[in-house]
């Protein structure tokens, strides 16, 4: 059976079980849009900007463990998508992005809406392809989905010239794929697992540091079992929140720049550190030399060998799927006759309790001005911790990570590595489409929301009842905080002047807008918003413009060099 390249592309998506494609049409992809029109298995979501298409596919993927798919045209279509692609790349999110390209005979001639999509995206994709013949589309897309999901996940770009999408060839979708130089499925070294088990069994002050790899590998179950078996404290990174239940007594909070005191001090003073699907990011361990100044044994489990000993030299490297390795580690520990040193553990927990008593997340409640922390606490209370929460980037992101207790993985959707403002709302669209009956909240700031606020139109078209929680402090809050701490209170271009009336703007898009200016009105406004099950509600909370995120480890400092609220 002969099909056009465009029809083959859509058939490939059907074969892969793709439910939604997030995209925006243009000249170079019109044949593909034609093929979309002539079927009803794959649904298309028309966004208002290509960056939002990729963020929406990203949110869909993060919340489901499926490969997200975006479709954009050539030229500005694909360049607009680059920020979304880079966001997914930094956080290892599996995406397939199909971009249109000018016709093959025009490539390299500066044709209308031509850019070198392969060259531009090469630094921020797991892999990319330029398809030169329609007979290669099926095998290329098969490879793209395989590459995106296997090993360390990531985005894959498939660039299809317009003439190739209209070329007719026979359709055959491969049953399997083999890439000669790519072998991501590796059996973890049994000897390394035994050495890790022995170190953990001998530990007097064990600590488990779990990152986004736990969530991506769906390994929250074995991680939880291991933490409880060892009786050790567990900290989850910003990307790993929900990998271990935040309400559990062994959870010590998030580590790093805005982590809890007990998590940071535990990381710094443990004698055995088990790092699981984490990469010792600069925002987590601070100054590398300071981190290494205290001797400890480090075990590092990761699917990506390039991540191991990249920033911190480790003692026991274990390359493999996080879930499988944790399962094998549990088997070895359970079969061992050696039991944890209960006296040493008791002393370790006594020390942690002392650090915890510092209550690093305390803040001063006000009857006069809304504190952003209070809004997140009420959001958690009203949703009973059962919402999907997306965020943009800034102070509101940190407040959400600190005060919303995530007990399940894939509920916290945010841009960690790239720190992309404008991510929250389109990501929430992807989450809501993936989970139609779920409660989805987008926590944002008045700066971030304006970067993709046009997606309120998409939300209206597709009737997405997202609750937008805007913590509006009239500043680029995190920028202002750094200017206050490190730039002599010189607030250069961080004040947001001439803000729109968000209530009227939400109403103009056909949604409900609520302005909240008093602390006493916070709970009632949130309850009203979540009672409107079928409507998008935009809540404009006028929060304290002077509030900062504490605790804070300044850039370049060590984990124990913490600034607390009362220090300033």
């Amino acid at each position: 059976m002969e099909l056009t390249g465009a029809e083959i592309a859509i058939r490939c998506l059907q074969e892969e079980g793709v439910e939604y494609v997030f995209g925006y049409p243009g000249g170079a992809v019109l044949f593909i849009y034609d093929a979309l029109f002539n079927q009803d298995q794959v649904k298309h979501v028309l966004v208002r900007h290509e960056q939002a298409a990729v963020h929406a596919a990203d949110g869909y993927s993060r919340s489901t463990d499926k490969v997200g798919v975006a479709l954009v045209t050539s030229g500005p279509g694909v360049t607009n998508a680059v920020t979304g692609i880079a966001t997914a790349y930094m956080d290892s999110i599996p995406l397939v992005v199909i971009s249109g390209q000018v016709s093959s005979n025009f490539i390299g001639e500066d044709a209308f809406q031509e850019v070198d999509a392969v060259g531009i995206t090469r630094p921020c994709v797991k892999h990319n392809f330029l398809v030169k013949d329609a007979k290669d589309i099926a095998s290329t897309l098969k490879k793209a989905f395989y590459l995106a999901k296997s090993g360390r996940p990531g985005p894959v770009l498939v660039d299809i010239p317009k003439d190739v999408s209209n070329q007719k060839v026979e359709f055959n979708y491969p049953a399997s794929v083999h890439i000669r130089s790519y072998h991501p499925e590796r059996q973890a070294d049994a000897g390394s697992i035994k050495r890790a088990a022995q170190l953990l069994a001998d530990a007097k002050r064990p600590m488990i540091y779990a990152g986004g790899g736990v969530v991506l590998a769906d390994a929250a179950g074995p991680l939880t079992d291991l933490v409880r078996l060892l009786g050790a404290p567990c900290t989850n990174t910003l990307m790993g929140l929900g990998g271990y239940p935040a309400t559990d007594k062994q959870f010590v909070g998030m580590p790093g720049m805005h982590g809890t005191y007990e998590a940071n001090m535990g990381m710094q003073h443990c004698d055995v550190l088990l790092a699981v699907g984490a990469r010792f990011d600069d925002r987590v361990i601070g100054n590398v030399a300071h981190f290494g100044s205290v001797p400890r044994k480090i075990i590092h489990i990761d699917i990506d060998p390039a991540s191991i000993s990249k920033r911190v030299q480790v003692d026991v490297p274990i390359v493999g799927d996080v879930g499988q390795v944790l399962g094998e580690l549990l088997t070895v520990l359970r079969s061992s006759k050696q039991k944890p040193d209960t006296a040493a553990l008791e002393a370790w927990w006594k020390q942690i309790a002392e650090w915890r008593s510092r209550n690093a997340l305390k803040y001063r409640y006000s009857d006069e001005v809304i504190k952003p922390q209070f809004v997140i606490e009420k959001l958690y209370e009203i949703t009973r911790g059962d919402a999907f929460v997306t965020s943009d980037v800034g102070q509101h992101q940190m407040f959400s990570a600190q005060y919303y207790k995530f007990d399940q993985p894939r509920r916290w959707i945010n841009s960690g590595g790239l720190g992309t403002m404008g991510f929250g709302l389109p990501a929430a669209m992807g989450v809501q489409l993936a989970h139609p009956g779920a409660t989805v909240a987008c926590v944002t700031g008045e700066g971030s929301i304006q970067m993709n606020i046009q997606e309120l139109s998409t939300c209206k078209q597709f009737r997405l009842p997202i609750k937008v929680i805007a913590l509006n402090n009239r500043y680029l809050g995190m920028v202002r905080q750094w200017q206050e701490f490190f730039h002599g209170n010189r607030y250069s271009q961080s004040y947001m002047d001439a803000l729109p009336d968000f209530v009227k703007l939400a109403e103009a898009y056909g949604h409900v807008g609520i302005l909240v200016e008093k602390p006493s009105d916070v709970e009632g406004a949130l309850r009203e918003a979540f009672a409107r099950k079928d409507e998008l509600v935009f809540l404009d909370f006028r929060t304290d413009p002077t509030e900062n995120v504490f605790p804070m480890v300044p850039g370049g400092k060590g984990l124990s060099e913490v600034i607390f609220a009362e220090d300033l």
Side-chain angles (χ1 to χ4, degrees), residues 479-514:
V479 174
R480 183 203 55 75
Q481 179 169 337
W482 280 60
Q483 288 172 335
E484 179 181 328
F485 287 6
F486 312 119
H487 297 275
N489 296 312
R490 293 182 294 277
Y491 302 126
S492 177
Q493 306 305 314
S494 55
Y495 179 66
M496 296 294 287
D497 205 356
L499 286 170
D501 182 328
F502 287 112
V503 170
K504 289 182 179 177
L505 190 56
E507 290 171 349
Y509 277 107
H511 304 300
V512 177
I514 301 175

Side-chain angles (χ1 to χ4, degrees), residues 99 117 176 180 218 224-225 254 261 278 292-293 307 318 348 407 463 467 527:
S99 59
S176 60
R180 187 177 59 184
D218 292 319
T224 301
D225 291 344
M254 181 176 70
Y261 188 54
S293 65
S307 292
I318 305 176
W348 180 225
D407 278 345
R463 300 178 181 178
K467 307 303 179 267
R527 290 196 182 279

Side-chain angles (χ1 to χ4, degrees), residues 124-285:
C124 60
V125 292
K126 187 173 179 181
H127 196 66
N128 58 21
F129 300 90
L130 172 62
V131 184
K132 297 179 180 178
D133 193 308
K135 65 178 171 53
D136 297 326
I137 289 177
S139 60
T140 301
L141 282 168
K142 183 72 175 181
K143 289 176 184 176
F145 278 90
Y146 172 63
L147 286 166
K149 195 74 171 67
S150 59
R152 180 178 180 172
V156 178
L157 179 89
V158 179
D159 199 35
I160 304 177
K162 186 171 184 177
D163 59 312
V164 173
S165 69
N166 196 38
Q167 179 187 353
K168 280 199 168 187
V169 294
E170 284 191 9
F171 172 61
N172 251 312
Y173 198 59
S176 60
V177 61
H178 173 73
I179 302 173
R180 187 177 59 184
S181 59
Y182 180 69
H183 305 286
E185 305 304 331
R186 294 177 57 171
Q187 183 66 37
D189 178 63
S192 296
I193 292 174
K194 287 180 181 177
R195 286 197 300 276
Q198 190 60 54
L199 278 176
L200 290 166
D202 292 339
K204 308 296 184 186
R205 302 185 307 279
M207 181 82 178
I208 296 177
Y209 151 53
V214 170
V215 176
L216 292 170
D218 292 319
L223 174 71
T224 301
D225 291 344
L226 180 66
V227 172
R228 289 174 179 164
L229 177 67
L230 293 171
C234 179
T235 179
N236 286 346
T237 67
L238 181 71
M239 299 307 302
L241 292 176
Y244 186 82
T247 56
D248 190 90
K249 62 183 179 181
Q250 286 175 248
F251 183 66
V252 292
M254 181 176 70
M257 180 172 282
H258 294 296
T260 65
Y261 188 54
E262 55 268 30
N264 284 344
M265 294 299 280
M267 288 272 287
Q268 190 68 12
H269 296 289
C270 62
D271 65 345
V272 176
L273 178 65
L274 172 61
V276 187
R279 56 191 179 92
F280 293 92
D281 178 74
D282 60 296
R283 288 292 175 105
V284 170
I285 66 166

